Amino acid sequence: MEFRHLRYFLVLAEELHFGRAARRLSISQPPLSLNIQQLEASVGARLFTRSSKSVALTAAGLAFVPAARALLDQAAQAARHARDVGQGMAGSLAIGFAGTMLYSGLPGILERFQAQHPLLRLMLKELSSSEQLVELAHDRLDIGFVHTTRVPPELSQILVFSQALVGCLPAGHRLAQQATLSLRALQGEPFAVVSRAVSPDYHERILGICTDAGFHPEIRFELRHWLSVVSLVSQGMGVALVPAALSRSAMAGTVFVPLDRTTTPYDTHCLWKTARDNPALASFVKAVRDASAQPSG
């Protein structure tokens, strides 16, 4: 049984006339008759009664009409889905992100991309940069947004966002009202940081910045998530140096103060496997490139 048999059957079932059905199908009557015979042999039942004056559906033919129509509809739907996936318009993408991306452009990228690709399913996973590298290596992520310069050679990357580090202080802190913050003034304060295991680049950056300012930070709290750091500071338990985008978190009880010195920007890169052949991924990478080309903030 082939799909053309089903198409021929349904047209003849509607016309109940070999001549009219053949004209609709743009074929002659003999091939139509042959295909109907082949279909009946495949089904194992007569689907039409024929006479010199009329053609009628048998009981088996009447029962076969909805099934044949459903088979053709399913085939058409499968073809449309395959075409959409092949064009990057359908399917799914697994996207990893570090928490600060919620405040530095990712929601806008996702919203615009989803509006243009409504059939594409986006699955987001909040993971540390190191965790994302592992997931990308094992093809459990299609793309990731990370804060690390330790990028394996098999990954392509786009610089998405650069931002400064700022002081995050409790609202009642003695330095909270300063226009700019001297790092040296934080000497002896209990620091909250994202742990080295989660974000080694950030951890080393904090140590380096404080060392350049002439002191070693007293790291009292090591946490897994950026918002945990900000939340702890809001409780008055410590201070932190965090990416500037987190000032948009608007968490009560915290104040974000620019530093009085220029530090190396805290960069966010979008990563994906260069060899990955996925049209949806290619479409998403283009959306990220377009967004990254726009002026920030």
Side-chain angles (χ1 to χ4, degrees), residues 5 37 65 84 89 91 96 102 104 107 121 140 142 155 169 180 197 200 213 217 223 244 251 262:
H5 294 142
Q37 291 170 11
V65 167
D84 289 341
M89 299 301 293
L102 293 175
S104 48
R121 185 173 176 230
R140 292 191 290 263
D142 294 300
L155 299 180
L169 307 174
T180 59
L223 307 165
M251 186 173 292
T262 300

Side-chain angles (χ1 to χ4, degrees), residues 193-265:
V193 299
V194 175
S195 73
R196 184 188 298 272
V198 171
S199 185
D201 291 70
Y202 162 76
H203 205 92
E204 291 176 9
R205 181 79 57 85
I206 297 302
L207 292 177
I209 289 172
C210 292
T211 299
D212 289 344
F215 71 99
H216 189 80
E218 184 181 336
I219 296 177
R220 192 85 57 82
F221 310 98
E222 295 200 29
L223 307 165
R224 285 192 55 80
H225 299 285
W226 287 107
L227 286 181
S228 298
V229 171
V230 177
S231 179
L232 187 144
V233 171
S234 75
Q235 302 301 314
M237 299 175 67
V239 301
L241 297 178
V242 302
L246 282 172
S247 63
R248 300 172 193 165
S249 65
M251 186 173 292
T254 55
V255 173
F256 299 86
V257 185
L259 302 181
D260 67 353
R261 64 173 63 202
T262 300
T263 61
T264 304

Side-chain angles (χ1 to χ4, degrees), residues 44-76:
R46 288 184 62 84
L47 302 174
F48 295 96
T49 59
R50 309 163 178 81
S51 70
S52 58
K53 295 182 178 179
S54 66
V55 176
L57 284 162
T58 63
L62 285 168
F64 193 59
V65 167
R69 190 168 287 126
L71 285 170
L72 286 181
D73 289 344
Q74 289 173 12

